[in-house]
Amino acid sequence: MLLSSQSYQVYSNDVLKLYSEQLRDSINLNLHKPESLGKSGPNIKFPVTIIFDSQHKMTYPRIINTFDFLSIDALIPETIIVGVPFNFNNRTYLTSDQRKEGDSLMGIERMERFLFKELIPKLKSEFKANDFLMIIGHSRTAFLVNYLLTKQSSNINVAVALSGFYKEHPLNEGFFEDYLGNNENFPRPTQYFITAGTSAEETSYKTENDALSTYFSNASIAKNLDLNYSTNAHATHMVNFWMSIPQILLNSYEEYGLIINNWLFNKLEDATNEQPIEEFKSDLTKLNEKLSLNANPSITHIFSFASHYLNTKDYSTAIDFVSLGLDYYPDYLDFYPLIIELFQQSNDEKNRNKYIEIYKKKIAADASLSDPEKNNRLKSY
């Protein structure tokens, strides 16, 4: 018996190697592309998540597994995930005001330039990234997140600072609070999440986060900035890192996650919903308006809703949903047997045959399939 496995269900587990002019060094990044990216149409793009501290061998895989699980369930959109590692030698330098001899730039400035002048443009040009950006950091890299929020607030949609602090140069005393309180600094909706554990190890981080939360309970915060503070009971320093992520993802993408829930338990049974496909498109449009997130439907959305209408023998609406899925993901092969079946049930032989031919061509062109796999897919047609 031959067994095989992969690290994640819908995300790759790659390494992106590059030389950074800004960091003046080579760097190996963790890169996790959603499965649907390679199956998507030329104009489809994906949000980006950058996670600092990806070198942690126990915490980081659990975080990616969280993204994987929630993406499969369509509770969050699929996103391009990049893990940025920090080691013993560069961790403090790249997250502080330290300068190397003869350099006019602080290490934290070099990291900012690497992210926004090199990495993110590369993700947009080579990996179909869109403008939606979430950044996640812990401890010293949470300070990096706080620093970036004051330098790149117009480019950050979600900032997550776990077990973080903000009272260190170059964030001078009072500067961070003043920045978060200024409406001009946040031209579009921005979510800011901070967490701390309640263990003794987390005391200093909890003290700073408590102070920030208390400050804004008595002072105005920028109208486009949504500050969310929570604690994890008894969590130690590293435990707070991975414990915080699931709930933050559910909260930050709440409107996306509600789509699957509302449809499965409400809209699919609503007899007055005469144009389900237009209603679903409207849900996606509302996400862009509320979160500045140009969201793609998930494959789970398409299969769930199409299967419902197939089972109720509303073949026309089921075809609408699969057709929408193919608009986004024309190379996702599993859509084709479903739409062929739907046209067969509709007694539409012309379109059935049309999609059989398209399916055959897609199978032949798919380099990821072995010859036995191709023959297995073709044998029914």
Side-chain angles (χ1 to χ4, degrees):
M1 180 169 58
L2 177 65
L3 301 177
S4 61
S5 65
Q6 64 184 56
S7 299
Y8 311 108
Q9 293 296 311
V10 298
Y11 285 96
S12 70
N13 193 25
D14 304 321
V15 175
L16 177 61
K17 301 179 180 181
L18 53 87
Y19 178 82
S20 168
E21 296 288 346
Q22 298 298 330
L23 299 180
R24 300 173 176 178
D25 200 0
S26 297
I27 186 169
N28 292 341
L29 305 166
N30 298 96
L31 176 64
H32 309 280
K33 297 174 291 184
E35 176 188 18
S36 59
L37 186 151
K39 312 296 184 182
S40 62
N43 297 320
I44 306 305
K45 299 184 185 301
F46 293 79
V48 172
T49 302
I50 297 177
I51 305 173
F52 305 120
D53 294 296
S54 68
Q55 76 284 354
H56 198 273
K57 289 180 171 56
M58 294 187 66
T59 303
Y60 184 73
R62 285 174 169 79
I63 291 172
I64 304 304
N65 272 309
T66 299
F67 277 86
D68 198 39
F69 175 70
L70 295 179
S71 296
I72 292 169
D73 262 13
L75 295 177
I76 66 172
E78 291 182 348
T79 174
I80 300 165
I81 306 169
V82 178
V84 181
F86 290 78
N87 58 44
F88 180 78
N89 294 321
N90 71 15
R91 182 177 177 80
T92 301
Y93 165 63
L94 293 174
T95 60
S96 75
D97 62 358
Q98 291 183 7
R99 289 181 172 87
K100 290 186 175 180
E101 186 176 354
D103 195 353
S104 62
L105 294 177
M106 299 179 290
I108 200 168
E109 291 176 311
R110 290 213 166 273
M111 174 53 68
E112 176 195 354
R113 291 189 178 198
F114 162 68
L115 294 170
F116 289 90
K117 291 182 178 293
E118 294 180 317
L119 177 58
I120 293 174
K122 185 177 184 69
L123 295 175
K124 289 182 177 180
S125 65
E126 297 182 21
F127 297 100
K128 304 183 73 172
N130 65 22
D131 291 329
F132 190 92
L133 176 63
M134 172 187 284
I135 56 173
I136 301 173
H138 172 255
S139 195
R140 281 222 62 86
T141 61
F143 177 76
L144 172 62
V145 167
N146 290 336
Y147 169 83
L148 293 173
L149 191 59
T150 69
K151 294 293 184 178
Q152 298 286 341
S153 55
S154 61
N155 295 314
I156 296 171
N157 300 84
V158 185
V160 181
L162 310 173
S163 302
F165 52 95
Y166 58 94
K167 294 180 180 179
E168 180 179 298
H169 189 265
L171 298 183
N172 296 318
E173 186 72 26
F175 173 79
F176 193 59
E177 295 92 332
D178 290 344
Y179 191 91
L180 299 189
N182 190 334
N183 288 331
E184 294 182 0
N185 293 330
F186 296 91
R188 64 182 184 181
T190 305
Q191 298 180 78
Y192 177 48
F193 293 89
I194 55 176
T195 74
T198 63
S199 66
E201 187 180 15
E202 283 283 280
T203 299
S204 63
Y205 309 105
K206 185 176 182 299
T207 297
E208 285 214 20
N209 287 332
D210 283 347
L212 190 66
S213 178
T214 300
Y215 177 86
F216 282 112
S217 68
N218 299 303
S220 296
I221 196 167
K223 63 181 181 180
N224 276 337
L225 181 63
D226 183 15
L227 170 63
N228 300 269
Y229 174 40
S230 61
T231 58
N232 289 310
H234 316 301
T236 56
H237 195 48
M238 290 309 303
V239 169
N240 187 60
F241 189 9
W242 71 264
M243 276 189 68
S244 300
I245 298 296
Q247 193 60 56
I248 287 175
L249 291 178
L250 289 171
N251 288 347
S252 60
Y253 292 117
E254 176 187 8
E255 296 297 322
Y256 190 89
L258 285 174
I259 290 177
I260 192 84
N261 185 73
N262 286 340
W263 275 82
L264 291 180
F265 294 98
N266 296 303
K267 293 186 179 182
L268 290 178
E269 304 298 334
D270 185 0
T272 65
N273 189 359
E274 296 180 354
Q275 294 185 308
I277 193 67
E278 296 305 322
E279 179 74 12
F280 180 59
K281 290 178 181 178
S282 175
D283 285 345
L284 295 176
T285 300
K286 290 174 185 176
L287 279 171
N288 193 33
E289 295 171 353
K290 185 165 185 177
L291 300 178
S292 300
L293 171 65
N294 192 11
N296 305 322
S298 78
I299 289 167
T300 300
H301 288 139
I302 302 302
F303 275 117
S304 297
F305 305 158
S307 296
H308 168 83
Y309 289 108
L310 169 61
N311 293 333
T312 59
K313 298 185 178 180
D314 183 352
Y315 303 126
S316 176
T317 300
I319 289 169
D320 284 343
F321 275 100
V322 183
S323 296
L324 180 67
L326 287 170
D327 287 343
Y328 280 86
Y329 312 113
D331 293 328
Y332 193 80
L333 294 183
D334 289 346
F335 283 148
Y336 289 94
L338 179 55
I339 201 167
I340 290 167
E341 170 68 13
L342 287 166
F343 281 121
Q344 181 169 315
Q345 294 294 332
S346 303
N347 296 315
D348 187 340
E349 185 175 354
K350 179 180 178 181
N351 275 312
R352 176 184 178 276
N353 293 337
K354 169 187 170 183
Y355 276 92
I356 287 175
E357 292 307 309
I358 295 173
Y359 185 36
K360 289 179 178 179
K361 291 177 181 178
K362 294 287 185 181
I363 292 170
D366 195 327
S368 68
L369 295 176
S370 65
D371 287 340
E373 289 171 325
K374 291 181 178 181
N375 291 333
N376 187 54
R377 284 181 173 270
L378 289 168
K379 68 182 180 182
S380 299
Y381 304 101

